[in-house]
Amino acid sequence: MDERGLPAEDVRKLLSQAQSKDLSYSGGRILGSMCTSPHSLGREVFTQFLETNLGDAGLFEGTKGLESEAVEMIAGLLGLAGTSGLLTTGGTEANILALWAARNKGRGKKVVAPETVHFSVDKACNLLGLRLVKTAVDSRKCADLGELESRIDHDTCAVVGVAGTTEYGTVDDITGLAKIALEKELYLHVDAAFGGFVLPFLQELGYPVHFEIPASGVDSITLDPHKMGLVPIPCGCIIFTDPETQGFIETEAPYLTLKRQHTVVGTRSGAAAAAAYAVFKHLGREGYRGVVKQCMENTIKLYRGVVKLGLAVRTPTINVLAIDCGPEVYDALGKMGWRLSQTREGEMRIIVMPHVSEKVVREFLRDLESVAGDFHV
Amino acid sequence: MDERGLPAEDVRKLLSQAQSKDLSYSGGRILGSMCTSPHSLGREVFTQFLETNLGDAGLFEGTKGLESEAVEMIAGLLGLAGTSGLLTTGGTEANILALWAARNKGRGKKVVAPETVHFSVDKACNLLGLRLVKTAVDSRKCADLGELESRIDHDTCAVVGVAGTTEYGTVDDITGLAKIALEKELYLHVDAAFGGFVLPFLQELGYPVHFEIPASGVDSITLDPHKMGLVPIPCGCIIFTDPETQGFIETEAPYLTLKRQHTVVGTRSGAAAAAAYAVFKHLGREGYRGVVKQCMENTIKLYRGVVKLGLAVRTPTINVLAIDCGPEVYDALGKMGWRLSQTREGEMRIIVMPHVSEKVVREFLRDLESVAGDFHV
C-alpha cells in the first residue's frame, strides 16, 4: 500500500483501465458461463442494502425477514412447505452445508454420486474428510440408479443427485434416488443449483422434463438465485426438508446478536438476500417463466442450427448444449472472441443464459459454420 | 413465489418497510460490531463491478488483476513479499482455508489455539474433522506460550495465534509462536482478521503495541478488509507466506476459464476485489492511519470516561474495550437502544469502529453513568 492515497478520480481511471480487460455478459460473447447480468432491480436493491450483515442478524431484523421470505419463496417453487433453509454464497457453500450435515448426522464417511456431479462435491468431500465414489451414468448422461445403488455400503452417509448437470443439463431420477435413500436410510442431497430456477418453469411451459422433490426421501436441495435467478453474486440457497437437519451444522456464535450460525461463512451479505427477495417479488413465476421460455427457445434455435450444419449435438434437456465439434473448431471459435467451455469429454458446452439472445445465436451459428467449413468437419 | 410479479415501485415500498426494522451503523447505536459503513468509493466501485465473478476469472482478467494487486498491498502492510493469497468472503473462509491447508499438508488431526481464538476456528475444525484444543491465556488475555507448547503432541498439525482477539483486542506473541512452530515443524496460522488493519497503523502512530510477522515460522495470515478496511462485505483475505501452501487446497475446476480453484466458495464476487483495490489506493497508509487514530482516540476517551465512573475496565490494546459492569447495566443500556455485545465472561464489549464518533462516546458515557447510578454500581 502506498503511503499517500490517490484522489478518487485517479482511482476511477485505474479501475476503468482494469475493467476494459474484463468481458461483460451484455457483450454477447460469453457462452460458457452459468452467471449472467443481474436484474436491474436486483442491482439497485443490492446497492441499497450493501452494509447489512446477516452474520449478525439481530442488527438487521428487516433484512433477516427478507431472507426468510426469499427462502420460503424458493421452497415454494419446489412445492415444499415446512422446510428450513438459508441463503448462501452460492451452490458450493450450499453443497458443503448439505454434506456437512450428512456427515455429522450419519456414521459413514463415503458419499456416492453420479460422475456428472459438480466439482464442488469433490471440494466438499475433501474439506469434510469424506470419500467420494462416482458412479456411471447412462447414455442420456443421467445417474444409473442400479449402478449407484450397488456402490452403497455400510460406510456410506450420503447420496447426491443432480437436477440440471453442469456439463449436459441433464436431470437425474430424483424420485428413484429418494426410494433408494429411504430404503438404505441414507441422506439424499439434490443439487439443483442451475436447474432449480429452470425446471419448474419448463414443466409449466409444457416441455418434456421431469423434476419433482418427492414427499419423503430428500433431505436437502441446492438452488442458486445468482445463476438463472438473475440475483447478484453471492446468492445461493440450501433448503432442508426437515428443519432439524440444520441443527447438525450449528456453530455457537458468542458475542453476536444471534448465538447460532448455520453457514460456512460468518459475516455474510444481506444485500444478496434483499436483492433476491426483490427480484422474486418483481418477476413472480410469470416473469421467470418468460425468462426460461426465451432461453429455451434460443437453445432450440441453436440446436437446430447445429444439426443443420451436420455436427453432432446432444438433444438438450434444458438450456445447456453439448456439441461434439473437435478441438480445432473449439479453438478457432475462441480466437474469434467466443468464450466457450468444454465438457470433461471435450465437447463444446454452451449455456444459453438470458444474455445469449437470438442475435447472438445467429452470429455464433454463422461463425461456427465458417469455422467448421474451414476444417471440413 | 407469487404467479404475478409486482411493479418495481411496490417492491421498493416493501423493501423500505423491511429496511426500517434494520439498524444502521451511521445511526450511532451499534457498539458491538466489527463491521461498519463501507467507504463511499468502495460502495460506488462495488456497484460498478457487481456482475464480475472471480470464480471464472478468465472472463474478468481486469478484475482478477485488481484482486492480485489488493492482495499484494495487504501483504505489504505486513512487510511481506513473495507471498500468495486470495480475497475471501471473510475471516471465517480465510481461517478455514488455512486449517484446510494445514490438515492436508500435515499428518495430525489436532489444532492447538489459545481460548481467545475466534469461534470460526471451532467451525473450521468441525468442518475439517480436526480436534481443537484450547489453551489458557495469561492475565492480559494473551496466549500462554508455555501452556500452549505443552499441549502439542505427535497428532498436532497446526497452531493458531491471534492478533487482535475478538473479545479483548489483545495480541498474542507471534514471534514466540513462530519459534515454537519452527521447532516442532508445525503449521502456524495467525488470525489478524480484525487487527490486521489496525496494528500496523497503531505502531506507526507510536502506540505501545507489538505485532510483526517474523521472517520464518508463520504459514498464513487472515486479514479482513470488510472490517477495519472499510470495504463492503464480502471481503476477507488469506496470505500464504509460501506460495506452495496454496497447492494443498487446490480443487480441479473443469469447464471454467481457470482450471484450479483455491477458495471454499466457487462463484465469488469480483466487486469486493475491485472495491478493496479502490479503497486501498484512495486511502493509502496515511488515510488508514487517520481512521485508526480517530478510533483509538475515541477508545481512550471512552476508557477514561469509564474509569472516571469507577467501573472496572481493561486497558485497551486496540479499539476494543471490555467493561465489567454487571448484567443489569448491560440490559438497561440495551433497552435504551444501545446495541452492545458481551465477552464469554460477561463483560460488556465495545468495538470503537469509525462510526462510533466522539459524539456517540459522549452520549454513551452519559447513559452509562445514569444507568450505573440507578443500579448503584
Side-chain angles (χ1 to χ4, degrees):
Chain A
M1 201 178 289
D2 299 328
E3 170 57 22
R4 288 267 157 85
L6 293 178
E9 213 30 70
D10 295 358
V11 178
R12 285 191 194 99
K13 274 181 205 146
L14 291 170
L15 290 163
S16 296
Q17 282 166 22
Q19 200 162 35
S20 70
K21 294 179 212 152
D22 283 356
L23 293 177
S24 71
Y25 299 110
S26 58
R29 295 262 144 171
I30 299 180
L31 300 189
S33 173
M34 286 185 158
C35 288
T36 189
S37 298
H39 190 283
S40 61
L41 183 64
R43 191 183 278 271
E44 171 196 322
V45 170
F46 197 101
T47 305
Q48 187 190 342
F49 283 76
L50 199 60
E51 75 172 43
T52 60
N53 168 19
L54 289 177
D56 204 359
L59 302 177
F60 304 102
E61 288 179 15
T63 306
K64 187 174 159 256
L66 296 176
E67 180 189 30
S68 303
E69 287 197 56
V71 170
E72 238 173 74
M73 286 191 265
I74 293 171
L77 207 56
L78 304 173
L80 298 171
T83 60
S84 75
L86 294 154
L87 295 183
T88 66
T89 50
T92 298
E93 188 186 6
N95 286 344
I96 292 169
L97 293 177
L99 293 179
W100 189 10
R103 189 203 63 186
N104 284 5
K105 198 175 177 179
R107 273 155 304 190
K109 292 278 190 189
K110 187 168 136 181
V111 173
V112 180
E115 62 186 25
T116 42
V117 82
H118 186 255
F119 71 84
S120 60
V121 172
D122 295 80
K123 192 194 279 189
C125 287
N126 183 314
L127 194 66
L128 292 159
L130 295 169
R131 194 158 54 90
L132 177 59
V133 172
K134 293 190 190 175
T135 62
V137 290
D138 60 23
S139 60
R140 298 163 309 146
K141 295 283 179 190
C142 295
D144 178 326
L145 263 49
E147 164 79 6
L148 190 144
E149 190 171 1
S150 74
R151 302 295 290 277
I152 293 168
D153 61 20
H154 66 282
D155 193 37
T156 306
C157 66
V159 169
V160 181
V162 192
T165 59
T166 311
E167 288 171 287
Y168 300 100
T170 47
V171 183
D172 292 334
D173 173 4
I174 305 302
T175 308
L177 285 171
K179 224 184 213 173
I180 296 173
L182 281 172
E183 268 172 33
K184 308 260 181 185
E185 292 183 12
L186 288 173
Y187 189 106
L188 173 58
H189 175 61
V190 176
D191 184 351
F194 188 77
F197 274 86
V198 179
L199 294 162
F201 305 111
L202 273 187
Q203 289 185 143
E204 289 170 3
L205 288 163
Y207 280 89
V209 289
H210 181 74
F211 169 62
E212 62 166 353
I213 301 298
S216 60
V218 176
D219 293 277
S220 52
I221 308 113
T222 293
L223 290 96
D224 266 6
H226 73 200
K227 293 190 169 89
M228 283 291 288
L230 309 184
V231 174
I233 296 165
C235 197
C237 178
I238 180 87
I239 303 281
F240 294 108
T241 54
D242 176 356
E244 282 187 21
T245 307
Q246 213 170 290
F248 288 92
I249 51 167
E250 195 158 272
T251 304
E252 237 189 282
Y255 47 81
L256 290 182
T257 49
L258 288 185
K259 302 301 180 199
R260 301 269 176 274
Q261 270 186 8
H262 302 93
T263 46
V264 173
V265 301
T267 298
R268 64 192 181 97
S269 170
Y277 170 89
V279 181
F280 298 171
K281 274 283 181 198
H282 180 51
L283 289 180
R285 296 182 83 101
E286 189 181 49
Y288 277 113
R289 202 150 53 228
V291 171
V292 167
K293 183 170 187 279
Q294 181 217 306
C295 289
M296 200 60 195
E297 284 173 359
N298 286 331
T299 305
I300 292 168
K301 272 175 195 144
L302 180 51
Y303 169 75
R304 290 195 179 137
V306 174
V307 168
K308 219 167 147 189
L309 293 177
L311 293 168
V313 55
R314 287 178 179 276
T315 311
T317 309
I318 59 173
N319 50 329
V320 176
L321 264 189
I323 308 170
D324 194 0
C325 60
E328 313 83 17
V329 172
Y330 181 83
D331 293 344
L333 288 166
K335 279 183 195 132
M336 293 169 88
W338 295 102
R339 291 306 189 106
L340 303 150
S341 63
Q342 278 179 299
T343 69
R344 278 171 281 198
E345 293 180 16
E347 295 135 302
M348 182 161 68
R349 165 184 168 265
I350 294 174
I351 320 295
V352 186
M353 293 300 288
H355 64 268
V356 182
S357 64
E358 200 189 331
K359 180 170 164 281
V360 171
V361 168
R362 274 201 310 270
E363 287 171 7
F364 177 74
L365 281 171
R366 186 197 59 206
D367 286 357
L368 178 63
E369 179 170 16
S370 83
V371 169
D374 286 349
F375 290 103
H376 311 291
V377 174
Chain B
M1 201 179 290
D2 300 329
E3 170 57 23
R4 287 268 157 87
L6 293 177
E9 213 30 70
D10 296 357
V11 177
R12 285 191 193 99
K13 274 181 206 147
L14 291 170
L15 289 163
S16 296
Q17 283 167 22
Q19 200 162 36
S20 69
K21 294 179 213 153
D22 283 356
L23 293 177
S24 72
Y25 299 109
S26 58
R29 296 262 143 171
I30 300 180
L31 300 190
S33 174
M34 287 187 157
C35 288
T36 189
S37 298
H39 190 284
S40 60
L41 182 64
R43 190 183 279 271
E44 170 195 321
V45 170
F46 197 101
T47 304
Q48 187 190 341
F49 283 76
L50 199 61
E51 75 172 41
T52 60
N53 168 19
L54 290 177
D56 204 359
L59 302 176
F60 303 101
E61 288 179 13
T63 306
K64 186 174 160 255
L66 296 176
E67 179 189 31
S68 303
E69 287 197 55
V71 170
E72 239 173 72
M73 287 191 264
I74 293 171
L77 207 57
L78 304 173
L80 298 171
T83 60
S84 74
L86 293 154
L87 295 183
T88 65
T89 50
T92 298
E93 187 186 5
N95 286 343
I96 292 169
L97 294 177
L99 293 179
W100 189 11
R103 190 203 63 186
N104 283 5
K105 200 176 176 179
R107 273 155 304 192
K109 292 280 189 187
K110 187 168 135 180
V111 174
V112 181
E115 63 185 26
T116 42
V117 83
H118 186 256
F119 71 83
S120 60
V121 172
D122 296 78
K123 192 194 278 189
C125 288
N126 183 312
L127 195 66
L128 292 159
L130 296 169
R131 194 158 55 88
L132 176 59
V133 172
K134 293 190 190 176
T135 62
V137 289
D138 60 23
S139 60
R140 298 165 308 146
K141 295 283 179 191
C142 295
D144 179 327
L145 262 50
E147 163 80 6
L148 189 144
E149 191 171 0
S150 74
R151 303 294 291 277
I152 293 168
D153 60 20
H154 66 282
D155 193 38
T156 306
C157 66
V159 169
V160 181
V162 192
T165 59
T166 311
E167 287 170 289
Y168 300 100
T170 48
V171 183
D172 293 334
D173 173 5
I174 305 300
T175 308
L177 285 171
K179 226 184 214 171
I180 296 173
L182 281 171
E183 269 172 33
K184 308 259 180 186
E185 294 183 9
L186 290 173
Y187 189 106
L188 173 58
H189 175 61
V190 176
D191 183 352
F194 188 77
F197 274 86
V198 179
L199 293 162
F201 305 111
L202 274 187
Q203 290 186 142
E204 289 170 4
L205 289 162
Y207 280 88
V209 289
H210 182 75
F211 169 63
E212 62 165 355
I213 301 298
S216 60
V218 176
D219 293 276
S220 52
I221 308 114
T222 293
L223 290 95
D224 265 6
H226 72 202
K227 294 190 170 86
M228 283 290 287
L230 309 184
V231 174
I233 295 165
C235 197
C237 178
I238 180 88
I239 303 280
F240 294 107
T241 55
D242 176 355
E244 282 186 21
T245 307
Q246 212 170 291
F248 288 92
I249 51 167
E250 195 159 272
T251 304
E252 240 189 279
Y255 46 82
L256 290 182
T257 50
L258 288 186
K259 304 300 180 200
R260 302 271 176 274
Q261 269 187 7
H262 302 93
T263 46
V264 173
V265 302
T267 298
R268 65 193 180 96
S269 170
Y277 171 90
V279 181
F280 298 170
K281 274 284 179 196
H282 180 52
L283 289 180
R285 295 181 84 100
E286 190 181 46
Y288 277 113
R289 201 149 55 231
V291 170
V292 167
K293 185 170 186 279
Q294 182 217 304
C295 290
M296 200 60 194
E297 284 173 2
N298 286 331
T299 304
I300 292 169
K301 272 175 197 144
L302 180 52
Y303 169 74
R304 289 195 179 137
V306 174
V307 168
K308 220 167 144 187
L309 294 177
L311 293 169
V313 55
R314 288 178 178 275
T315 311
T317 310
I318 60 173
N319 50 328
V320 175
L321 265 189
I323 308 170
D324 194 1
C325 59
E328 313 82 15
V329 171
Y330 181 85
D331 292 344
L333 288 166
K335 279 182 195 134
M336 292 169 89
W338 294 101
R339 290 307 188 105
L340 303 149
S341 64
Q342 278 179 299
T343 69
R344 277 170 283 197
E345 293 180 17
E347 295 135 304
M348 182 161 68
R349 165 184 168 265
I350 294 174
I351 320 295
V352 186
M353 295 299 288
H355 65 268
V356 181
S357 64
E358 199 188 332
K359 180 170 164 280
V360 170
V361 167
R362 275 201 309 271
E363 288 170 6
F364 177 73
L365 280 171
R366 186 198 59 207
D367 286 357
L368 178 62
E369 180 171 15
S370 82
V371 168
D374 286 350
F375 290 104
H376 311 291
V377 175

Short mmCIF file of all heavy atoms in Angstrom, two decimals, chain A residues 24-32 294 298-299 301-302 333 337-340 350-368:
data_model
loop_
_atom_site.label_atom_id
_atom_site.label_comp_id
_atom_site.label_asym_id
_atom_site.label_seq_id
_atom_site.Cartn_x
_atom_site.Cartn_y
_atom_site.Cartn_z
N SER A 24 -18.01 -8.62 -20.61
CA SER A 24 -19.30 -8.40 -19.95
C SER A 24 -20.31 -9.33 -20.58
O SER A 24 -20.18 -9.71 -21.75
CB SER A 24 -19.74 -6.95 -20.10
OG SER A 24 -20.13 -6.73 -21.44
N TYR A 25 -21.28 -9.73 -19.79
CA TYR A 25 -22.31 -10.63 -20.32
C TYR A 25 -23.06 -9.97 -21.47
O TYR A 25 -23.37 -10.59 -22.47
CB TYR A 25 -23.28 -11.05 -19.21
CG TYR A 25 -22.58 -11.80 -18.10
CD1 TYR A 25 -22.41 -11.23 -16.85
CD2 TYR A 25 -22.08 -13.07 -18.33
CE1 TYR A 25 -21.74 -11.92 -15.84
CE2 TYR A 25 -21.41 -13.77 -17.32
CZ TYR A 25 -21.25 -13.18 -16.07
OH TYR A 25 -20.59 -13.86 -15.09
N SER A 26 -23.30 -8.65 -21.30
CA SER A 26 -24.07 -7.95 -22.33
C SER A 26 -23.28 -7.86 -23.64
O SER A 26 -23.87 -7.62 -24.69
CB SER A 26 -24.45 -6.55 -21.84
OG SER A 26 -23.27 -5.84 -21.51
N GLY A 27 -21.96 -8.06 -23.58
CA GLY A 27 -21.16 -8.08 -24.81
C GLY A 27 -21.56 -9.23 -25.73
O GLY A 27 -21.26 -9.20 -26.92
N GLY A 28 -22.22 -10.24 -25.18
CA GLY A 28 -22.81 -11.30 -26.00
C GLY A 28 -21.86 -12.41 -26.40
O GLY A 28 -22.25 -13.34 -27.11
N ARG A 29 -20.60 -12.37 -25.94
CA ARG A 29 -19.65 -13.40 -26.39
C ARG A 29 -19.43 -14.49 -25.34
O ARG A 29 -18.72 -15.45 -25.59
CB ARG A 29 -18.31 -12.73 -26.72
CG ARG A 29 -18.42 -11.76 -27.91
CD ARG A 29 -17.96 -12.43 -29.18
NE ARG A 29 -18.75 -12.01 -30.31
CZ ARG A 29 -18.44 -12.31 -31.58
NH1 ARG A 29 -17.36 -13.01 -31.85
NH2 ARG A 29 -19.22 -11.93 -32.55
N ILE A 30 -19.98 -14.28 -24.14
CA ILE A 30 -19.80 -15.29 -23.08
C ILE A 30 -20.86 -16.37 -23.24
O ILE A 30 -22.04 -16.16 -22.95
CB ILE A 30 -19.89 -14.66 -21.67
CG1 ILE A 30 -18.79 -13.59 -21.48
CG2 ILE A 30 -19.78 -15.74 -20.60
CD1 ILE A 30 -18.80 -12.90 -20.13
N LEU A 31 -20.45 -17.54 -23.73
CA LEU A 31 -21.40 -18.63 -23.95
C LEU A 31 -21.19 -19.78 -22.97
O LEU A 31 -21.93 -20.75 -22.99
CB LEU A 31 -21.27 -19.17 -25.38
CG LEU A 31 -21.51 -18.20 -26.53
CD1 LEU A 31 -21.56 -18.96 -27.85
CD2 LEU A 31 -22.81 -17.43 -26.34
N GLY A 32 -20.16 -19.67 -22.11
CA GLY A 32 -19.82 -20.82 -21.27
C GLY A 32 -20.00 -20.57 -19.79
O GLY A 32 -19.39 -21.26 -18.97
N GLN A 294 -37.64 -17.86 -23.13
CA GLN A 294 -36.75 -17.24 -24.11
C GLN A 294 -35.43 -18.02 -24.21
O GLN A 294 -34.94 -18.30 -25.31
CB GLN A 294 -36.48 -15.80 -23.69
CG GLN A 294 -35.58 -15.03 -24.65
CD GLN A 294 -34.65 -14.08 -23.93
OE1 GLN A 294 -35.11 -13.24 -23.14
NE2 GLN A 294 -33.35 -14.19 -24.17
N ASN A 298 -34.15 -20.09 -27.57
CA ASN A 298 -32.84 -19.84 -28.18
C ASN A 298 -31.97 -21.10 -28.18
O ASN A 298 -31.19 -21.31 -29.11
CB ASN A 298 -32.13 -18.68 -27.48
CG ASN A 298 -32.75 -17.34 -27.84
OD1 ASN A 298 -33.30 -17.18 -28.95
ND2 ASN A 298 -32.71 -16.38 -26.94
N THR A 299 -32.13 -21.90 -27.13
CA THR A 299 -31.40 -23.18 -27.08
C THR A 299 -31.80 -24.05 -28.26
O THR A 299 -30.94 -24.65 -28.94
CB THR A 299 -31.71 -23.92 -25.77
OG1 THR A 299 -31.41 -23.06 -24.68
CG2 THR A 299 -30.89 -25.21 -25.64
N LYS A 301 -33.20 -23.08 -31.09
CA LYS A 301 -32.71 -22.48 -32.35
C LYS A 301 -31.25 -22.85 -32.58
O LYS A 301 -30.86 -23.21 -33.69
CB LYS A 301 -32.84 -20.95 -32.27
CG LYS A 301 -34.20 -20.48 -32.74
CD LYS A 301 -34.39 -18.98 -32.56
CE LYS A 301 -35.88 -18.70 -32.70
NZ LYS A 301 -36.34 -17.65 -31.79
N LEU A 302 -30.47 -22.75 -31.53
CA LEU A 302 -29.05 -23.08 -31.65
C LEU A 302 -28.89 -24.57 -31.98
O LEU A 302 -28.11 -24.94 -32.87
CB LEU A 302 -28.34 -22.71 -30.33
CG LEU A 302 -26.84 -22.97 -30.23
CD1 LEU A 302 -26.08 -22.38 -31.41
CD2 LEU A 302 -26.29 -22.36 -28.93
N LEU A 333 -12.99 -20.88 -32.71
CA LEU A 333 -14.07 -20.01 -32.22
C LEU A 333 -13.57 -19.15 -31.05
O LEU A 333 -13.94 -17.98 -30.94
CB LEU A 333 -15.28 -20.85 -31.78
CG LEU A 333 -16.07 -21.48 -32.94
CD1 LEU A 333 -17.02 -22.56 -32.41
CD2 LEU A 333 -16.86 -20.42 -33.71
N GLY A 337 -13.14 -14.77 -30.45
CA GLY A 337 -13.69 -14.00 -29.34
C GLY A 337 -14.81 -14.68 -28.58
O GLY A 337 -15.32 -14.12 -27.60
N TRP A 338 -15.22 -15.86 -29.02
CA TRP A 338 -16.28 -16.56 -28.28
C TRP A 338 -15.70 -17.18 -27.03
O TRP A 338 -14.67 -17.85 -27.09
CB TRP A 338 -16.92 -17.65 -29.16
CG TRP A 338 -17.64 -17.07 -30.34
CD1 TRP A 338 -17.20 -17.01 -31.62
CD2 TRP A 338 -18.93 -16.43 -30.32
NE1 TRP A 338 -18.13 -16.37 -32.42
CE2 TRP A 338 -19.20 -16.00 -31.64
CE3 TRP A 338 -19.87 -16.16 -29.33
CZ2 TRP A 338 -20.38 -15.33 -32.00
CZ3 TRP A 338 -21.05 -15.49 -29.68
CH2 TRP A 338 -21.29 -15.09 -30.99
N ARG A 339 -16.33 -16.96 -25.89
CA ARG A 339 -15.87 -17.54 -24.64
C ARG A 339 -16.75 -18.74 -24.32
O ARG A 339 -17.85 -18.61 -23.82
CB ARG A 339 -15.91 -16.51 -23.50
CG ARG A 339 -14.87 -15.44 -23.67
CD ARG A 339 -13.47 -16.05 -23.86
NE ARG A 339 -12.47 -15.03 -23.82
CZ ARG A 339 -11.65 -14.85 -22.79
NH1 ARG A 339 -11.71 -15.65 -21.74
NH2 ARG A 339 -10.77 -13.88 -22.81
N LEU A 340 -16.19 -19.90 -24.68
CA LEU A 340 -16.92 -21.15 -24.56
C LEU A 340 -16.37 -21.96 -23.41
O LEU A 340 -15.48 -21.53 -22.70
CB LEU A 340 -16.72 -21.93 -25.87
CG LEU A 340 -17.17 -21.16 -27.12
CD1 LEU A 340 -16.35 -21.55 -28.32
CD2 LEU A 340 -18.64 -21.41 -27.36
N ILE A 350 -22.28 -25.09 -24.20
CA ILE A 350 -22.85 -23.74 -24.27
C ILE A 350 -24.04 -23.63 -23.31
O ILE A 350 -24.92 -24.49 -23.30
CB ILE A 350 -23.31 -23.42 -25.72
CG1 ILE A 350 -22.07 -23.37 -26.62
CG2 ILE A 350 -24.08 -22.11 -25.77
CD1 ILE A 350 -22.39 -23.20 -28.07
N ILE A 351 -24.01 -22.57 -22.50
CA ILE A 351 -25.13 -22.31 -21.60
C ILE A 351 -25.89 -21.14 -22.20
O ILE A 351 -25.35 -20.04 -22.34
CB ILE A 351 -24.66 -21.90 -20.19
CG1 ILE A 351 -23.45 -22.73 -19.74
CG2 ILE A 351 -25.79 -21.99 -19.18
CD1 ILE A 351 -23.69 -24.17 -19.56
N VAL A 352 -27.13 -21.38 -22.56
CA VAL A 352 -27.91 -20.32 -23.21
C VAL A 352 -28.59 -19.48 -22.12
O VAL A 352 -29.76 -19.64 -21.80
CB VAL A 352 -28.91 -20.91 -24.23
CG1 VAL A 352 -29.61 -19.79 -24.99
CG2 VAL A 352 -28.17 -21.82 -25.21
N MET A 353 -27.80 -18.59 -21.53
CA MET A 353 -28.28 -17.71 -20.46
C MET A 353 -29.10 -16.57 -21.08
O MET A 353 -29.10 -16.38 -22.30
CB MET A 353 -27.06 -17.15 -19.72
CG MET A 353 -26.26 -18.19 -18.95
SD MET A 353 -27.20 -19.07 -17.67
CE MET A 353 -27.41 -17.81 -16.41
N PRO A 354 -29.78 -15.78 -20.24
CA PRO A 354 -30.60 -14.68 -20.80
C PRO A 354 -29.80 -13.70 -21.68
O PRO A 354 -30.37 -13.10 -22.60
CB PRO A 354 -31.13 -13.98 -19.54
CG PRO A 354 -31.18 -15.07 -18.51
CD PRO A 354 -30.00 -15.95 -18.80
N HIS A 355 -28.49 -13.58 -21.43
CA HIS A 355 -27.73 -12.63 -22.27
C HIS A 355 -27.38 -13.24 -23.64
O HIS A 355 -26.89 -12.53 -24.51
CB HIS A 355 -26.45 -12.17 -21.54
CG HIS A 355 -25.46 -13.25 -21.27
ND1 HIS A 355 -25.43 -13.98 -20.09
CD2 HIS A 355 -24.44 -13.76 -22.00
CE1 HIS A 355 -24.45 -14.85 -20.13
NE2 HIS A 355 -23.84 -14.75 -21.28
N VAL A 356 -27.63 -14.53 -23.81
CA VAL A 356 -27.38 -15.16 -25.12
C VAL A 356 -28.67 -15.01 -25.95
O VAL A 356 -29.53 -15.88 -25.97
CB VAL A 356 -26.96 -16.63 -24.96
CG1 VAL A 356 -26.67 -17.26 -26.31
CG2 VAL A 356 -25.73 -16.74 -24.05
N SER A 357 -28.77 -13.87 -26.62
CA SER A 357 -30.00 -13.52 -27.34
C SER A 357 -30.07 -14.26 -28.68
O SER A 357 -29.12 -14.92 -29.09
CB SER A 357 -30.01 -12.02 -27.59
OG SER A 357 -28.91 -11.70 -28.44
N GLU A 358 -31.20 -14.10 -29.35
CA GLU A 358 -31.37 -14.72 -30.66
C GLU A 358 -30.31 -14.20 -31.64
O GLU A 358 -29.77 -14.95 -32.45
CB GLU A 358 -32.78 -14.40 -31.18
CG GLU A 358 -33.21 -15.35 -32.27
CD GLU A 358 -34.51 -14.92 -32.94
OE1 GLU A 358 -35.34 -14.26 -32.28
OE2 GLU A 358 -34.67 -15.26 -34.13
N LYS A 359 -30.00 -12.92 -31.51
CA LYS A 359 -28.98 -12.30 -32.37
C LYS A 359 -27.61 -12.98 -32.13
O LYS A 359 -26.88 -13.30 -33.07
CB LYS A 359 -28.90 -10.80 -32.05
CG LYS A 359 -27.89 -10.01 -32.86
CD LYS A 359 -28.10 -8.50 -32.62
CE LYS A 359 -26.88 -7.70 -33.09
NZ LYS A 359 -25.75 -7.73 -32.13
N VAL A 360 -27.29 -13.21 -30.87
CA VAL A 360 -26.03 -13.88 -30.53
C VAL A 360 -26.01 -15.29 -31.12
O VAL A 360 -25.01 -15.74 -31.69
CB VAL A 360 -25.81 -13.92 -28.99
CG1 VAL A 360 -24.63 -14.80 -28.62
CG2 VAL A 360 -25.61 -12.51 -28.44
N VAL A 361 -27.14 -15.98 -31.00
CA VAL A 361 -27.25 -17.34 -31.55
C VAL A 361 -26.96 -17.33 -33.05
O VAL A 361 -26.20 -18.15 -33.57
CB VAL A 361 -28.64 -17.95 -31.24
CG1 VAL A 361 -28.87 -19.22 -32.05
CG2 VAL A 361 -28.78 -18.23 -29.75
N ARG A 362 -27.55 -16.38 -33.76
CA ARG A 362 -27.35 -16.28 -35.23
C ARG A 362 -25.87 -16.02 -35.56
O ARG A 362 -25.30 -16.65 -36.44
CB ARG A 362 -28.21 -15.15 -35.80
CG ARG A 362 -29.63 -15.58 -36.16
CD ARG A 362 -30.27 -14.61 -37.17
NE ARG A 362 -30.14 -13.21 -36.74
CZ ARG A 362 -31.03 -12.55 -35.99
NH1 ARG A 362 -32.12 -13.17 -35.57
NH2 ARG A 362 -30.84 -11.29 -35.65
N GLU A 363 -25.28 -15.07 -34.81
CA GLU A 363 -23.87 -14.74 -35.07
C GLU A 363 -22.97 -15.94 -34.79
O GLU A 363 -22.03 -16.21 -35.53
CB GLU A 363 -23.43 -13.57 -34.18
CG GLU A 363 -24.01 -12.23 -34.61
CD GLU A 363 -23.75 -11.12 -33.59
OE1 GLU A 363 -23.02 -11.35 -32.61
OE2 GLU A 363 -24.33 -10.03 -33.78
N PHE A 364 -23.29 -16.65 -33.71
CA PHE A 364 -22.48 -17.79 -33.36
C PHE A 364 -22.59 -18.89 -34.42
O PHE A 364 -21.58 -19.49 -34.82
CB PHE A 364 -22.88 -18.33 -31.98
CG PHE A 364 -22.10 -19.55 -31.60
CD1 PHE A 364 -20.77 -19.46 -31.22
CD2 PHE A 364 -22.68 -20.81 -31.66
CE1 PHE A 364 -20.04 -20.59 -30.89
CE2 PHE A 364 -21.96 -21.95 -31.34
CZ PHE A 364 -20.63 -21.84 -30.96
N LEU A 365 -23.82 -19.14 -34.88
CA LEU A 365 -24.03 -20.18 -35.90
C LEU A 365 -23.27 -19.83 -37.18
O LEU A 365 -22.69 -20.69 -37.84
CB LEU A 365 -25.53 -20.36 -36.18
CG LEU A 365 -26.30 -21.19 -35.15
CD1 LEU A 365 -27.80 -21.12 -35.42
CD2 LEU A 365 -25.83 -22.65 -35.15
N ARG A 366 -23.28 -18.55 -37.52
CA ARG A 366 -22.56 -18.09 -38.71
C ARG A 366 -21.06 -18.38 -38.55
O ARG A 366 -20.42 -18.95 -39.44
CB ARG A 366 -22.81 -16.59 -38.88
CG ARG A 366 -22.26 -15.97 -40.15
CD ARG A 366 -22.19 -14.46 -39.98
NE ARG A 366 -21.32 -14.15 -38.84
CZ ARG A 366 -21.41 -13.03 -38.11
NH1 ARG A 366 -22.31 -12.10 -38.37
NH2 ARG A 366 -20.58 -12.84 -37.09
N ASP A 367 -20.50 -18.04 -37.39
CA ASP A 367 -19.08 -18.29 -37.15
C ASP A 367 -18.78 -19.79 -37.09
O ASP A 367 -17.75 -20.24 -37.59
CB ASP A 367 -18.62 -17.61 -35.85
CG ASP A 367 -18.50 -16.09 -36.02
OD1 ASP A 367 -18.72 -15.60 -37.15
OD2 ASP A 367 -18.18 -15.40 -35.03
N LEU A 368 -19.67 -20.53 -36.46
CA LEU A 368 -19.48 -21.97 -36.36
C LEU A 368 -19.45 -22.60 -37.75
O LEU A 368 -18.61 -23.46 -38.06
CB LEU A 368 -20.60 -22.60 -35.51
CG LEU A 368 -20.57 -24.12 -35.33
CD1 LEU A 368 -19.31 -24.57 -34.59
CD2 LEU A 368 -21.82 -24.60 -34.56
#
